[in-house]
Amino acid sequence: MAIINSKVKPFKAEAYHNGKFITVTDTDLQGKWSIFFFYPADFTFVCPTELGDMADLYPEFQKLGVEVYSVSTDTHFTHKAWHDASDTIKKIAYPMIGDPTGAITRGFDVMIEEEGLALRGTFVVNPEGEIKVAEIHDLGIGRDASELLRKVKAAQYVASHPGEVCPAKWKEGEATLAPSLDLVGKI
C-alpha cells in the first residue's frame, strides 16, 4: 500500500524535549505541519550529522509552522543521555521521540525487523494528518535538511494553491505550473 496521502496511525510515545520528558501523540499533529525524521540509533555515526543538520535549520522549519520529531527505537532516556553527552545533539530543540516497541516505526513502514532499528525515513505530514512526502534511505546514506526544507515549502505551496504544481528544483518565489491540456508535450 502506498503511504502517500495515508493518515498517520494513532500513537502515544515519550520524548525528550528541552530538558524534559513529554508525551507525544498523533493528536498533537492536528492543525499543523509535521516532520517525522526516523534514524537507526543514538550514539552512532551518520545519525548525529543528520540530526545536527536538522537542528541547524529547525528555526527555519518553525517559521513555516512545522514541528520536527526525530524518532528512533531507543528510549527517551537514551535520547537524554545522548543529548547530555554530544555537543552536536545538544543543539537539538525539537522533540526526540523514543520508540522502543517499534510501534511508530512500523506504522511508517521503516522498521528493519532483524535489527530492531529504523531505516532513515523522512515524512512530511500536513495539518490533516496525511503524509505528503515520504523518503526512505539505506543506513549509509545521510539526508540534507535544506532539501527537506525545500520540499516542505513546495508541499505547503501546493496545499494553499489548488490547481498549481511545483516543477523539479522549484524554490520559493519561482514559477509554478498549472496543469492543462495546453502544457502536454510542451515542457
Side-chain angles (χ1 to χ4, degrees):
M1 180 179 103
I3 198 164
I4 296 297
N5 293 321
S6 68
K7 291 265 192 182
V8 172
K9 293 180 179 160
F11 72 89
K12 180 179 180 181
E14 298 304 308
Y16 180 69
H17 185 228
N18 291 331
K20 297 178 184 176
F21 294 129
I22 63 167
T23 301
V24 178
T25 71
D26 55 297
T27 60
D28 293 322
L29 312 180
Q30 295 174 357
K32 65 180 175 185
W33 288 84
S34 305
I35 293 172
F36 281 78
F37 199 76
F38 289 87
Y39 64 98
D42 294 355
F43 295 99
T44 56
F45 314 104
V46 176
C47 300
T49 66
E50 293 183 310
L51 295 174
D53 184 37
M54 182 64 83
D56 292 341
L57 286 181
Y58 183 58
E60 296 302 313
F61 287 103
Q62 290 280 274
K63 287 178 192 172
L64 297 174
V66 178
E67 185 55 87
V68 174
Y69 300 97
S70 66
V71 186
S72 77
T73 55
D74 298 293
T75 67
H76 56 293
F77 299 113
T78 307
H79 292 334
K80 182 195 181 312
W82 194 26
H83 193 273
D84 292 348
S86 167
D87 288 339
T88 299
I89 302 306
K90 263 186 192 119
K91 299 187 302 185
I92 293 175
Y94 49 81
M96 300 177 74
I97 296 176
D99 185 28
T101 68
I104 303 168
T105 305
R106 284 184 190 92
F108 281 84
D109 201 22
V110 291
M111 177 65 89
I112 305 169
E113 291 295 341
E114 316 76 63
E115 299 179 38
L117 302 174
L119 290 165
R120 297 186 191 289
T122 310
F123 301 89
V124 176
V125 179
N126 73 8
E128 291 76 40
E130 300 165 337
I131 298 169
K132 292 299 177 179
V133 173
E135 185 174 33
I136 302 171
H137 292 217
D138 195 9
L139 299 184
I141 303 167
R143 294 162 282 185
D144 183 333
S146 64
E147 173 58 10
L148 179 57
L149 185 62
R150 186 196 72 78
K151 290 176 185 178
V152 167
K153 288 177 180 180
Q156 289 181 336
Y157 185 90
V158 168
S160 64
H161 295 84
E164 293 184 46
V165 295
C166 296
K169 297 185 180 184
W170 176 87
K171 296 212 178 12
E172 188 174 29
E174 291 181 355
T176 59
L177 300 171
S180 72
L181 188 59
D182 296 339
L183 288 180
V184 175
K186 297 198 170 120
I187 297 177

